[in-house]
Amino acid sequence: MCGIIGYAGSDSDAIDVLLDGLSGLEYRGYDSAGVALSNQTLHVHKREGELSALESALPKSEYENESVGIGHTRWSTHGPPSDVNAHPHTDDQNRVAVVHNGIIENYQSLRDELTAAGIEFESDTDTEVVPHLISTYLADGIDRETAFRRAIDRIEGSYAVAAVFEGTNTIYAARRNSPLVLGIGNDGYYLASDVPAFIEYTDRVIYLDDGEFARLSPSEVVVTDADGTVVETSIETISWDPEDAGKSGYDHYMLKEINEQPDALRKCLRGRLDELEGTVDLESVPPIQASGAIQFVACGTSYHAAMYGARLLRDRGVSAQAFLASEYDEETIPVGGESVVVGVTQSGETADTMRALRAANRAGAKTIAVTNVVGSSAARECDHVLYIRAGPEIGVAATKTFASQQAALTMLACQLTENISRETIQALRDVPDLIQTVLDTSNARAVAETYEDADAYFFIGRGYQYPVALEGALKMKEITYKHAEGFAAGELKHGPLALVTENTPVFALVTGDDERANKTIGNVKEVEARDAPVVAVTDGRSEVERYADHVLEVPGAGGIASPIVANVQLQLVSYWVANRLGRSIDKPRNLAKSVTVE
């Protein structure tokens, strides 16, 4: 979940490239940051805290002529945030500096071995074993690249690792179950955990596969396999504009990305819907005959989208279930050649989801990745991939990717079941404009101001609105640090009502006027009878507003469209509560964007 940046160039601007790259990767971790510049000697600087702490302490004028280096921004796993635990880590002779993303599962045994050999460790991290391992091989007279490879060969677990050495202008890197992408520039080569780190410098990339190594110098980049054989690589072009990864005048990335949802959804739907023919065409996912169950695996926000997708399929007569990827156990969950397993992951690198998808592949199931990132691990390892086309999302709290996942999964359900109606296609077509109406007219800010001091927040919904209730609660937790819970509306009376007070606002998602809506209104009355304030999120087709203290409108949306539109109102409420409370909205405490550890 940490962020890595590396640069080997012909220009003497490595320090600026590294700092720009770290700025573009802060959503991956912001507990500490550091850089290592390599030439005749190694220069390492690192600081606890956000990137600004490193920038303030860095004597940039001393490194104006440096052209090769690596950098790192950390999300803590082993050891608390501190200067000493920050990356890069070096050996005891300052010959090699290493940055690492992932978890080294056998680090304790390696550390014990190295300690017994007389090596003293400075940090609490698992990463520090790597430079010390490399150093032991260097001491035996082994060349740098071979020493790096032998050290990597000793590591168990997940990793993206990059290393620089004194006396050379070369970066060595390797990956296993953790992302690493190379950038091909006109004046040098780049290495990063994610494209935003170098998108302002180049849009041409090479994605490293598991088990591959890379060697970068100012004059070339070479990719090899575990045996050292050169691998043929393909260069892909990223379609993002560098401005897409900026704030564009908004106070926070999250607010920008909430407002980008209409455009993101248009991109998701473009070329895939045919209203005249009444068809859905997902070019990368051919018709699949699912004779067995369809299983969704996902985490966090993506899990809520997966719940929505599974419900769509069940309503079309298909056996479908959503699993938390961390709880997906192929030994107890039936999966085989008749199964279809759909991995929903915005980054395409989520460790728990990738583990579940690999288990499904081993069992012979057909696998589909629903992801936002071209060339990601999920996209490469699954049989088929459905891109949601949301564009870069920098805010840690997912917003536009959730809406795009909902739309993509709706189309996928239509194609998998061949159950497509013109009403569904039209409803999807209308969603971007309906969300724009919400963005233009929402009174979420006033609602947030009313309830910013609440003890807790409850969100309730039924059917398609239940996953949205869970997502609304998750957003509130993530960025306000306030207690929030989402419930299936019918479950309130089975325990959660004990927690309801006059200072516990309940957000009730009620759309349509069917039996489900009427039952949810009954749950609202239960809340009202206990003096809890009610915020109705509704399209006005029921009478729920009669029992509400506030109303957040869901304009003109029906059926499968209403959960996508309703969610935007909840995103805005969470954003404005967090804003009023002065929270770190884009970088909430203890969280990171791309969760690449289990």
Side-chain angles (χ1 to χ4, degrees):
M1 292 162 65
C2 307
I4 291 172
I5 177 68
Y7 175 66
S10 56
D11 292 336
S12 300
D13 56 358
I15 193 63
D16 291 328
V17 172
L18 297 180
L19 292 175
D20 288 344
L22 292 177
S23 177
L25 289 172
E26 272 202 289
Y27 62 92
R28 296 184 66 93
Y30 32 88
D31 291 343
S32 59
V35 295
L37 298 153
S38 67
N39 203 316
Q40 294 307 308
T41 58
L42 279 181
H43 302 284
V44 176
H45 294 272
K46 50 188 185 177
R47 285 293 184 275
E48 176 188 355
E50 296 188 3
L51 179 59
S52 56
L54 173 66
E55 291 177 314
S56 298
L58 192 64
K60 286 182 61 177
S61 60
E62 297 181 14
Y63 305 120
E64 292 177 349
N65 297 319
E66 302 293 341
S67 59
V68 176
I70 54 177
H72 188 271
T73 181
R74 182 174 184 245
W75 185 86
S76 302
T77 54
H78 294 69
S82 67
D83 287 357
V84 72
N85 285 333
H87 297 213
H89 290 287
T90 65
D91 67 320
D92 53 5
Q93 298 182 52
N94 205 45
R95 294 184 296 182
V96 57
V98 169
V99 293
H100 164 234
N101 178 23
I103 290 181
I104 299 173
E105 295 173 357
N106 62 333
Y107 92 97
Q108 190 61 61
S109 62
L110 292 173
R111 184 172 179 135
D112 291 344
E113 173 189 323
L114 291 164
T115 300
I119 292 173
E120 295 184 4
F121 283 76
E122 296 183 352
S123 76
D124 302 314
T125 69
D126 55 340
T127 304
E128 195 184 349
V129 300
V130 181
H132 289 306
L133 278 174
I134 294 172
S135 184
T136 60
Y137 294 122
L138 292 176
D140 292 335
I142 296 173
D143 66 90
R144 298 182 182 97
E145 182 169 354
T146 303
F148 177 76
R149 285 177 175 275
R150 289 193 180 180
I152 296 300
D153 192 50
R154 297 286 309 279
I155 295 172
E156 297 174 7
S158 62
Y159 55 79
V161 177
V164 290
F165 295 79
E166 67 172 356
T168 181
N169 62 356
T170 303
I171 302 172
Y172 299 94
R175 68 153 284 179
R176 181 177 185 271
N177 296 341
S178 196
L180 213 50
V181 58
L182 308 178
I184 312 302
N186 294 325
D187 299 313
Y189 300 95
Y190 304 82
L191 173 78
S193 301
D194 207 350
V195 171
F198 55 67
I199 189 62
E200 67 178 282
Y201 297 102
T202 183
D203 59 0
R204 296 184 297 149
V205 303
I206 296 172
Y207 292 99
L208 284 187
D209 286 326
D210 275 357
E212 291 183 341
F213 290 74
R215 184 176 70 247
L216 292 78
S217 69
S219 59
E220 65 174 354
V221 59
V222 178
V223 178
T224 58
D225 63 17
D227 297 325
T229 303
V230 175
V231 174
E232 289 189 19
T233 58
S234 59
I235 298 176
E236 300 184 31
T237 301
I238 298 297
S239 60
W240 301 349
D241 187 293
E243 285 297 315
D244 292 343
K247 290 183 183 177
S248 302
Y250 288 92
D251 290 338
H252 298 95
Y253 283 111
M254 183 179 179
L255 185 59
K256 170 179 176 275
E257 288 154 7
I258 289 173
N259 280 274
E260 286 177 339
Q261 287 176 114
D263 186 53
L265 283 162
R266 292 186 185 101
K267 291 177 181 176
C268 178
L269 300 172
R270 186 173 298 144
R272 292 168 165 173
L273 301 178
D274 189 325
E275 293 176 63
L276 293 178
E277 297 295 328
T279 59
V280 170
D281 180 16
L282 302 179
E283 67 288 345
S284 59
V285 184
I288 296 173
Q289 296 300 319
S291 54
I294 295 181
Q295 301 171 352
F296 291 82
V297 291
C299 305
T301 289
S302 294
Y303 174 67
H304 300 151
M307 292 177 65
Y308 173 77
R311 183 68 188 237
L312 284 166
L313 287 168
R314 290 197 298 273
D315 282 355
R316 286 164 168 76
V318 176
S319 176
Q321 187 175 357
F323 294 91
L324 286 166
S326 59
E327 294 294 320
Y328 187 79
D329 181 358
E330 66 271 26
E331 294 182 2
T332 57
I333 298 170
V335 58
E338 296 180 346
S339 305
V340 175
V341 179
V342 183
V344 187
T345 160
Q346 64 89 17
S347 69
E349 304 290 349
T350 310
D352 289 318
T353 305
M354 288 308 305
R355 182 198 58 78
L357 286 170
R358 286 165 181 149
N361 280 330
R362 288 193 300 270
K366 299 180 182 71
T367 53
I368 302 172
V370 179
T371 185
N372 193 38
V373 181
V374 176
S376 60
S377 293
R380 295 197 305 273
E381 295 184 31
C382 287
D383 297 319
H384 308 288
V385 58
L386 174 57
Y387 291 113
I388 66 172
R389 303 175 179 171
E393 186 178 70
I394 306 302
V396 167
T399 52
K400 66 177 180 176
T401 53
F402 181 63
S404 295
Q405 285 171 341
Q406 288 175 295
L409 289 172
T410 302
M411 292 186 287
L412 181 63
C414 289
Q415 179 150 310
L416 288 177
T417 61
E418 298 182 348
N419 183 343
I420 309 165
S421 68
R422 284 183 169 82
E423 290 77 14
T424 296
I425 292 176
Q426 186 58 53
L428 284 171
R429 287 282 195 203
D430 290 343
V431 166
D433 290 339
L434 295 173
I435 289 179
Q436 190 61 58
T437 299
V438 169
L439 295 171
D440 293 341
T441 64
S442 176
N443 59 323
R445 187 170 187 172
V447 171
E449 290 173 357
T450 302
Y451 298 115
E452 64 178 281
D453 294 324
D455 293 334
Y457 303 84
F458 286 176
F459 299 79
I460 62 173
R462 288 175 183 261
Y464 293 118
Q465 300 293 3
Y466 172 40
V468 176
L470 295 176
E471 177 62 13
L474 180 61
K475 285 293 147 294
M476 188 68 78
K477 294 174 192 176
E478 286 178 320
I479 65 170
T480 72
Y481 313 154
K482 304 271 276 189
H483 181 72
E485 293 295 337
F487 302 103
E491 286 298 298
L492 270 180
K493 57 186 175 291
H494 296 292
L497 271 178
L499 301 173
V500 169
T501 72
E502 61 185 12
N503 202 28
T504 310
V506 177
F507 291 77
L509 293 134
V510 187
T511 54
D513 57 359
D514 57 8
E515 182 182 3
R516 201 172 281 143
N518 291 330
K519 286 183 176 179
T520 306
I521 290 174
N523 303 129
V524 168
K525 291 178 181 178
E526 294 167 357
V527 168
E528 184 191 39
R530 288 155 178 83
D531 297 323
V534 174
V535 180
V537 186
T538 181
D539 55 6
R541 295 172 60 189
S542 67
E543 295 184 348
V544 67
E545 59 270 19
R546 293 178 54 184
Y547 312 102
D549 298 274
H550 298 273
V551 174
L552 295 169
E553 294 184 1
V554 182
I560 54 90
S562 63
I564 308 176
V565 180
N567 181 64
V568 179
Q569 291 281 22
L570 302 185
Q571 292 172 345
L572 289 167
V573 170
S574 294
Y575 173 82
W576 288 115
V577 170
N579 187 275
R580 296 276 298 179
L581 295 173
R583 304 302 194 219
S584 178
I585 291 174
D586 288 331
K587 296 180 285 187
R589 69 187 183 197
N590 302 332
L591 301 178
K593 182 70 175 173
S594 182
V595 186
T596 56
V597 296
E598 294 184 47

